[in-house]
Amino acid sequence: MSTAPVGLPAGLPAWTTRPADETAVKTLVEALGCPQAIAHVLVSRGISDTAAAQTFFTPSLDDLLDPMLMLGMEIAVARIQHAVRSSEPILIYGDYDVDGTTATVLLKTAIERIAPKETPAIVTYHVPHRIREGYGMQNGVLGQAAASGIRLVISVDTGIRAFAAAEEAKALGMDLIVTDHHLPDGVIGIPEAVAVLNPAQQNCPYPFKHLCGAAVAFKLAHALLLAATETEEQRTKLKRSLIPSFLKLVAIATIADSVPLEGENRVIAALGLKELRNPVQPGLRALMQVAQIPINRPPTATEVGFRLAPRINAAGRMDIAGDVVELFLTKDPARANDLAEKLDRLNDERRATEAKALEAIEAQLAPLRDSLGDYLAECIILDDPEWHRGVLGILASRVVDRTGRPAIVMTHEDGHAHGSGRSIAGFHLLDAISAVHEPLTSSDAPLFSRFGGHAHAVGFSMPSDHMPLLRERMQRYGATRLTGEITAPPLECDAELLLSDLTQSFYDWLMRCEPFGIGNREPVFLTRNLTLSEPVRFIKEKHICLQLQSPSLQSSGTTNRISALGWSRTIDWPARCAEIGLDTGSQLDVVYRLKAKTNPQFPGLELELVALRPA
């Protein structure tokens, strides 16, 4: 398989095929009996020996890492055990997104399960209001907790940079356990707490560093439940029943939080998705039903990411995220249905709010394009006081999709700008805003009031009058880092195939590579020299459907045709067809994802177009 880039017209990226060691590919084909292209995909992604490939295809509970490997775990477990034995009230301090709300549910459930029936654990939770409180732990909430008798606070999906909150908790006589996955401050380090659980912190021996916040909370829950077992029978029940049950919510959070679906994250996602088939808990079942996800089979990562997660996130974006925690804790089917329907309505409201803001964003983006019809190699920064704070992250993602550039989207309220950023591969956004935050001279003030995040996503607030400084510093920072290799990377194909390779057996092997996401992207394939056998069919004037066939097989009397669909999310497919003059008989090279047709009356496979060009 060739790995050399193939040129395209100006403004379009070259196409390449990911390289893979052919000896390792042959070994996997012989050992697994899989198609060569599937083995090529695995080897090109670093899975080159048979044992690793078998783990990839058949992840099991035994592949979950020991939670006690995490720095601070032993101390955290002991402190929580003491609180439960002493009937101390415990406060779980969560966050308002999928990661934070599911983490709250997981940890509250685990702590309550380890308490004796005669003396139930006293576990309350606080999920902040996105608009009124913002991200992170607030001193006022801690003060109220202390006044109510709380002596132990456990943060989930937040807290790694909560230095002031940690000091406040200590001053109020409360112990703090931080569980988080966001990157610690590179200078100050971690807040003062009884224990800090975060595989990203320095000196943590936990082998896998990319867990989401709910997965870190799950590790603490797992350690607590394991410590509470006394017999082999109890440990077996924990492994076979309770842990798989917990993995349902951890999988949802792992997929929703866009952490890499590799290593332990892949195990969590794969096993959790299987457990989501026919869920028993009323809230989860009701939410899957309003999201129109069938409950007679495991959902796909795409269904979780685009149907389930947005409805969970809608609560925190548009209203009160505590509704999500109640939804996943309730045992009342009627209450579960009410809450699920509320999240569905909030998601509709979120979509309408987002659509209105996108119109304004398109107007702001138009003048940013230069005379060549491309965007400058810099971080795009947009703001509007009318934009809803709850959808800023989504809007930033849309800007990245449209421009191929890192993006920061902000709104203003009472003299303060609140922003959310999303990035592209190769540009570490947290490093960027950390760098521009620092004063250039002794007379300058720090840029942000608060900020945090990771390589791909950040959030922050700052005085509105710092906007010119932000633009200036980000432009200067990006000038030497947003290179052509980052802003216009080649289109990387996973393998080159013939139409005759696209069999149902091949598709079945491809589905065994799921779940797909960051770190395990859905494979894209290249097929050359196809003939357009019918005129282009346009769908709703913005999408296209092509009928393609292989001329070599056609000439031998063998029919080998397939449909290819182009959905105009980030590519204007009708314009692309007009640009290259597509007509019946045109010869094409296409890059695509292989899909199963969704209409049961017309079974088979089809292509989802990623790129096309004249052959």
Side-chain angles (χ1 to χ4, degrees), residues 240-383:
R240 293 181 178 176
S241 177
L242 196 54
I243 293 304
S245 177
F246 273 49
L247 287 175
K248 290 187 286 239
L249 291 186
V250 191
I252 292 172
T254 297
I255 292 166
D257 214 55
S258 298
V259 291
L261 290 185
E262 58 192 17
E264 191 173 26
N265 281 342
R266 174 176 170 76
V267 176
I268 289 170
L271 298 181
L273 287 172
K274 288 181 180 179
E275 293 297 321
L276 280 167
R277 176 177 181 171
N278 196 23
V280 175
Q281 197 273 327
L284 187 52
R285 189 178 185 89
L287 190 64
M288 290 180 68
Q289 288 174 332
V290 299
Q292 299 182 358
I293 297 177
I295 57 176
N296 61 347
R297 60 162 174 78
T300 65
T302 298
E303 288 172 327
V304 169
F306 289 93
R307 295 191 194 177
L308 210 56
R311 287 170 170 81
I312 299 173
N313 266 331
R317 295 187 187 281
M318 311 304 295
D319 194 39
I320 303 171
D323 286 344
V324 174
V325 180
E326 183 183 353
L327 173 72
F328 289 145
L329 290 175
T330 186
K331 297 179 181 178
D332 180 358
R335 179 59 177 159
N337 288 334
D338 288 344
L339 288 167
E341 289 172 2
K342 178 181 178 180
L343 296 192
D344 196 45
R345 292 193 301 273
L346 289 173
N347 191 52
D348 289 340
E349 181 182 339
R350 186 270 307 170
R351 293 172 65 182
T353 302
E354 177 191 336
K356 183 178 179 181
L358 281 173
E359 293 179 5
I361 280 177
E362 292 292 353
Q364 290 194 32
L365 286 176
L368 295 180
R369 298 175 68 92
D370 64 23
S371 59
L372 297 177
D374 199 4
Y375 292 93
L376 295 174
E378 62 182 37
C379 180
I380 293 176
I381 300 175
L382 307 175
D383 70 306

Side-chain angles (χ1 to χ4, degrees), residues 1 25 28-29 32-45 47 53 56-57 494-495 497 505-513 516 523 525 594:
M1 299 182 183
V25 170
L28 288 188
V29 170
L32 303 174
C34 65
Q36 181 177 356
I38 297 296
H40 185 98
V41 170
L42 264 61
V43 173
S44 71
R45 298 182 183 192
I47 304 167
F56 180 85
F57 284 129
D494 288 277
L497 301 173
S505 174
F506 177 82
Y507 181 76
D508 292 342
W509 273 100
L510 185 62
M511 289 303 95
R512 292 184 65 187
C513 297
F516 299 127
F525 301 108
L594 185 61

Side-chain angles (χ1 to χ4, degrees), residues 88-144:
E88 287 183 27
I90 300 171
L91 172 68
I92 299 175
Y93 205 125
D95 188 27
Y96 40 67
D97 64 359
V98 176
D99 206 11
T101 51
T102 54
T104 301
V105 173
L106 290 163
L107 196 53
K108 177 176 168 61
T109 302
I111 294 174
E112 290 175 343
R113 287 193 71 97
I114 67 170
K117 290 183 179 180
E118 58 274 14
T119 55
I122 308 168
V123 186
T124 57
Y125 60 88
H126 177 78
V127 179
H129 191 282
R130 181 188 291 262
I131 308 301
R132 292 196 294 266
E133 298 176 57
Y135 176 78
M137 302 172 68
Q138 304 296 322
N139 287 358
V141 175
L142 294 177
Q144 294 172 6

